[in-house]
Amino acid sequence: MTSRVDSDRRFVSLPLLRGQRALVTGANSGIGKATAIGLGRAGADVVVNYVVGREEADEVVKEIEGFGVRAFAHEADVSDEGQVVGMFARMFEEFGTIDVLVANAGLQRDAALTEMTVEQWHKVLDVNLTGQFLCAREAAKEFLRRGIVPEVSRAVGKIICMSSVHQIIPWSGHVNYAASKGGVLMLMQTLAQELGPHGIRVNAVAPGAIRTPINRSAWDTPEAEADLLKLIPYRRVGDPEDIADAVTVLASDLMDYVVGTTLFVDGGMTLFPGFATGG
Ligand code: NAD
């Protein structure tokens, strides 16, 4: 199976998001970086949020500006209410408003249940779940204040929550992470129900195994990759661009009737591959 990044199929080079303004959290690495670049390529102005790693964030900004759109990097910890409010305030000052939020920032602090500290538990819940709540709240306030701008999008606003296959697949040794992503599912569905009547579309993208720093040990040796591939019916590890493309299309008016859905982008990981031979 060839890698997505080796292929020259670049569907989202269409300006699907021309004139829209997007904010991507955790956008200086992995999936967030590819997504910020993908949204820029599709015509959006992009805020590149990061918490550490200014240089990487600046490189993402430079790449996005190469598409002829605006971008800036903004340091903020998504689990800190004041920093999130400040980040949106700066975005409104520089870009005027927001059309697309991609609540992507996330981390793991893995341990067996009996070894897990309350700090590890809180850190993961704070960033992965509370961070998405805070960003979604600030984006929704602006969507409701501004209302529809028909020449920009059919929707008043779009929120995309970065979830995981672990919103439905239990994961031993990662109870904090799995609980946070299970929470993201209900966060997303409840916000979709609450905000839908106002013309705001809330959805989630749930990646499977994607080659990024968060899960390096799962793919960085041939043995580890072979083990991982057993869990993926499509038999390739995903690339960040696979997720970026899904987010770009989901944020666009091509998906205007898609509300409250989780788009699994996982090579079939959620198909219970252990049952492929009859169980
Ligand atoms: P990554 O480690 O490459 O990127 C995570 C990003 O989040 C980094 O930019 C990091 O700095 C940022 N971040 C961490 N804490 C933050 C905070 N407090 N405030 C702001 N930013 C913060 O990992 P990734 O794989 O690109 O992960 C991105 C998202 O995708 C996460 O939500 C992760 O749970 C999800 N995901 C990843 C995979 C995968 O296989 N890589 C699978 C399913 C879901």
Side-chain angles (χ1 to χ4, degrees), residues 85-265:
V85 170
M87 173 167 69
F88 278 83
R90 179 168 172 214
M91 179 178 190
F92 303 152
E93 249 175 61
E94 301 217 7
F95 290 172
T97 188
I98 181 169
D99 303 287
V100 179
L101 165 68
V102 184
N104 164 78
L107 45 71
Q108 292 180 211
R109 293 288 183 271
D110 307 332
L113 173 65
T114 51
E115 309 292 323
M116 189 174 285
T117 64
V118 75
E119 289 75 21
Q120 288 173 315
W121 171 264
H122 278 306
K123 181 71 182 173
V124 171
L125 270 291
D126 286 353
V127 174
N128 295 12
L129 188 55
T130 306
Q132 293 208 10
F133 155 72
L134 290 170
C135 292
R137 189 187 68 185
E138 295 313 300
K141 283 185 199 165
E142 171 62 9
F143 296 152
L144 294 171
R145 182 202 67 76
R146 190 204 58 223
I148 189 92
V149 185
E151 54 279 17
V152 171
S153 175
R154 293 180 73 183
V156 171
K158 281 85 54 140
I159 296 174
I160 297 177
C161 300
M162 196 56 67
S163 188
S164 163
V165 291
H166 296 295
Q167 74 171 29
I168 57 166
I169 301 178
W171 202 16
S172 301
H174 306 76
V175 67
N176 47 3
Y177 186 84
S180 75
K181 296 300 185 179
V184 167
L185 170 62
M186 266 301 132
L187 173 82
M188 179 279 288
Q189 289 184 325
T190 302
L191 296 185
Q193 188 190 65
E194 186 169 333
L195 299 173
H198 301 281
I200 299 165
R201 291 197 296 119
V202 186
N203 290 286
V205 168
I210 309 300
R211 229 179 270 279
T212 75
I214 209 173
N215 59 357
R216 183 176 299 282
S217 62
W219 50 260
D220 74 346
T221 65
E223 299 74 30
E225 182 162 349
D227 263 1
L228 184 59
L229 289 176
K230 290 182 197 150
L231 299 176
I232 308 171
Y234 202 49
R235 296 287 187 265
R236 78 168 167 86
V237 177
D239 297 306
E241 288 74 14
D242 289 309
I243 307 303
D245 288 355
V247 169
T248 302
V249 179
L250 189 54
S252 79
D253 281 358
L254 288 178
M255 295 276 167
D256 187 58
Y257 207 51
V258 178
V259 175
T261 289
T262 298
L263 176 57
F264 286 91
V265 186

Side-chain angles (χ1 to χ4, degrees), residues 40-58:
R41 182 186 288 112
D45 297 326
V46 187
V47 179
V48 175
N49 161 253
Y50 69 100
V51 67
V52 287
R54 174 82 209 193
E55 268 178 34
E56 290 84 355
D58 285 341

